[in-house]
């Protein structure tokens, strides 16, 4: 901590490191939580890397749906690796301190990957809409160039969101207390520790959260309204069940991921929501990446057959 003069000529202290409180209020569960997070990390890496390997290696998966799924799995692998190694290390060493600059790097990548995933999920919903509602035009609509553009656009949107947010956060001065009631550097918790006024930055972050969550969420919902109406017109029960099975998993993931993001960053900051902040964060940043390979692919018949061929 070092002294620093503010714009009004008064002296204040600028902190140089944070203490992540994490799960300190549950000391009796630390060993169990370490094992739980370790299992989640290993399962997440194994499941998502397996999906990426299958999509790259097996020509049967060289389709738009699996191309986007491969992008999602790659993103989830990076997302989880940004967060969980630091959490696991703090469980082992008991060291919960992190420098302000060290806090900004994972914060940038979390913002990047969260925004990119919102748009990638919307792209995947559009792909399912095209396949089910416009099957005769699907091959022409979802051509290779268009799929590459959609995937690249999702990653670029995430990159821009991360850059804008991190530039804003780097303008802040933190003067304590230096304790963050979280297990990672999360924006709403960090803003509580700022010396200077945060109203404008909070407003900008809320607007950015709305831009990067609401449009893809609305697009996804619109796609599924059209999909549901189309499915209901399918005459055979078996056909309806097959169509629903390919879409329901995606809708579940979107509801959990975008729903928790909207709850954390767009709803009014009540005491109850602040208390549940860590729970919501675990849902969209840790549990969703672990569940995606199972929800999307590992229960899929084609993927099961491919895995059997690999194991032979």
């Amino acid at each position: 901590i070092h002294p620093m003069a503010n714009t009004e000529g008064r002296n204040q202290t600028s902190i140089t490191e944070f203490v992540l409180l994490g799960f300190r209020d549950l000391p009796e569960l630390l060993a169990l939580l370490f094992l739980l997070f370790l299992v989640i990390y290993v399962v997440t890496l194994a499941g998502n890397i397996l999906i990426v390997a299958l999509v790259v290696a097996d020509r049967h998966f060289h389709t738009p749906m699996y191309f986007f799924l491969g992008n999602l799995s790659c993103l989830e692998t990076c997302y989880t690796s940004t967060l969980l190694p630091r959490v696991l290390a703090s469980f082992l060493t008991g060291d919960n301190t992190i420098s302000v600059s060290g806090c900004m790097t994972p914060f940038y990548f979390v913002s990047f990957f969260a925004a990119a995933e919102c748009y990638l999920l919307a792209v995947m919903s559009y792909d399912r809409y095209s396949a089910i509602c416009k099957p005769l035009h699907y091959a022409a609509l979802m051509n290779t160039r268009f799929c590459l553009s959609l995937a690249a656009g999702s990653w670029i949107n995430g990159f821009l969101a991360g850059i804008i947010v991190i530039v804003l956060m780097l303008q802040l001065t933190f003067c304590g207390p230096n304790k963050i009631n979280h297990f990672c550097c999360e924006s709403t918790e960090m803003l509580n520790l700022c010396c200077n006024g945060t109203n404008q930055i909070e407003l900008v972050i809320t607007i950015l959260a709305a831009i990067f969550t609401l449009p893809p969420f609305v697009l996804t919902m619109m796609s599924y309204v059209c999909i549901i109406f189309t499915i209901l017109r399918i005459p055979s029960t078996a056909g309806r069940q097959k169509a629903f099975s390919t879409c329901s998993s995606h809708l579940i993931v979107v509801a959990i991921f975008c729903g928790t993001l909207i709850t954390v960053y767009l709803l009014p900051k009540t005491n109850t929501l602040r208390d549940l902040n860590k729970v919501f964060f675990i849902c969209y940043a840790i549990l969703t990446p672990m569940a995606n390979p199972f929800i999307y692919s590992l229960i899929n018949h084609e993927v099961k057959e491919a895995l059997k061929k690999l194991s032979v």
Side-chain angles (χ1 to χ4, degrees), residues 119-176:
Y119 276 88
L120 194 54
L121 290 173
V123 166
M124 294 173 73
S125 70
Y126 178 75
D127 173 67
R128 292 299 84 209
Y129 160 79
S130 301
I132 293 172
C133 300
K134 299 180 181 293
L136 299 179
H137 304 284
Y138 179 68
L141 285 172
M142 303 303 292
N143 57 68
T144 302
R145 183 174 180 178
F146 186 55
C147 290
L148 288 172
S149 299
L150 289 174
S154 299
W155 287 93
I156 291 170
N157 270 319
F159 172 78
L160 292 175
I163 287 291
I164 294 170
V165 173
I166 198 64
V167 167
L168 290 172
M169 295 297 287
L170 288 173
Q171 309 304 311
L172 299 176
T173 302
F174 302 96
C175 53

Side-chain angles (χ1 to χ4, degrees), residues 3-300:
M4 178 180 179
N6 66 10
T7 57
E8 298 176 358
R10 293 173 301 173
N11 289 329
Q12 61 186 19
T13 55
S14 175
I15 62 173
T16 58
E17 65 179 21
F18 295 120
V19 177
L20 301 174
L21 298 182
F23 300 98
R24 279 191 175 183
D25 53 342
L26 301 170
E28 68 281 2
L29 296 178
L30 290 183
L32 179 61
L33 287 170
F34 170 77
L35 290 174
L36 178 62
F37 278 84
L38 179 62
V39 169
I40 289 173
Y41 185 46
V42 171
V43 171
T44 301
L45 286 185
N48 284 291
I49 290 173
L50 180 60
I51 297 304
V52 173
L54 283 176
V55 170
V56 171
D58 194 326
R59 60 183 179 83
H60 293 101
F61 297 115
H62 294 175
T63 63
M65 181 178 78
Y66 286 105
F67 169 70
F68 295 131
L69 182 59
N71 273 268
L72 180 65
S73 293
C74 180
L75 188 151
E76 300 287 33
T77 301
C78 298
Y79 200 170
T80 308
S81 297
T82 300
L83 293 169
L84 285 184
R86 175 69 181 76
V87 175
L88 292 171
S90 68
F91 277 129
L92 283 178
T93 63
D95 181 13
N96 294 305
T97 60
I98 183 170
S99 67
V100 173
S101 58
C103 216
M104 292 300 177
T105 302
F107 175 77
Y108 163 75
F109 283 108
V110 167
S111 303
F112 174 2
F113 295 132
E117 182 160 348
C118 284
Y119 276 88
L120 194 54
L121 290 173
V123 166
M124 294 173 73
S125 70
Y126 178 75
D127 173 67
R128 292 299 84 209
Y129 160 79
S130 301
I132 293 172
C133 300
K134 299 180 181 293
L136 299 179
H137 304 284
Y138 179 68
L141 285 172
M142 303 303 292
N143 57 68
T144 302
R145 183 174 180 178
F146 186 55
C147 290
L148 288 172
S149 299
L150 289 174
S154 299
W155 287 93
I156 291 170
N157 270 319
F159 172 78
L160 292 175
I163 287 291
I164 294 170
V165 173
I166 198 64
V167 167
L168 290 172
M169 295 297 287
L170 288 173
Q171 309 304 311
L172 299 176
T173 302
F174 302 96
C175 53
N178 68 336
K179 293 179 173 60
I180 295 179
N181 186 24
H182 214 292
F183 51 85
C184 70
C185 301
E186 200 273 330
S187 62
T188 56
E189 295 293 334
M190 292 170 68
L191 289 174
N192 292 332
L193 309 181
C194 291
C195 309
N196 37 345
T198 61
N199 290 339
Q200 289 183 335
I201 289 185
E202 286 179 353
L203 177 61
V204 172
I205 288 177
T206 301
I207 292 172
L208 287 172
I211 292 172
F212 287 101
T213 57
L214 291 181
F217 182 71
V218 170
L219 177 61
T220 300
M221 293 300 104
M222 289 173 61
S223 298
Y224 276 101
V225 168
C226 296
I227 287 170
I228 290 170
F229 278 115
T230 302
I231 290 174
L232 292 176
R233 290 199 295 267
I234 297 175
S236 68
T237 304
R240 287 197 298 270
Q241 288 177 342
K242 182 178 180 180
F244 269 122
S245 67
T246 60
C247 300
S248 58
S249 57
H250 181 73
L251 195 55
I252 291 170
V253 170
V254 171
I256 294 173
F257 185 78
C258 292
T260 50
L261 277 177
I262 290 169
T263 300
V264 171
Y265 294 105
L266 296 183
L267 294 185
K269 305 296 187 292
T270 65
N271 290 332
T272 302
L273 288 182
R274 286 194 181 94
D275 293 340
L276 294 174
N277 198 358
K278 280 188 277 191
V279 176
F280 290 136
F281 191 88
I282 289 172
C283 285
Y284 72 78
I286 295 176
L287 295 184
T288 301
M290 180 186 69
N292 277 348
F294 298 95
I295 292 175
Y296 280 120
S297 295
L298 298 183
I299 59 174
N300 182 292

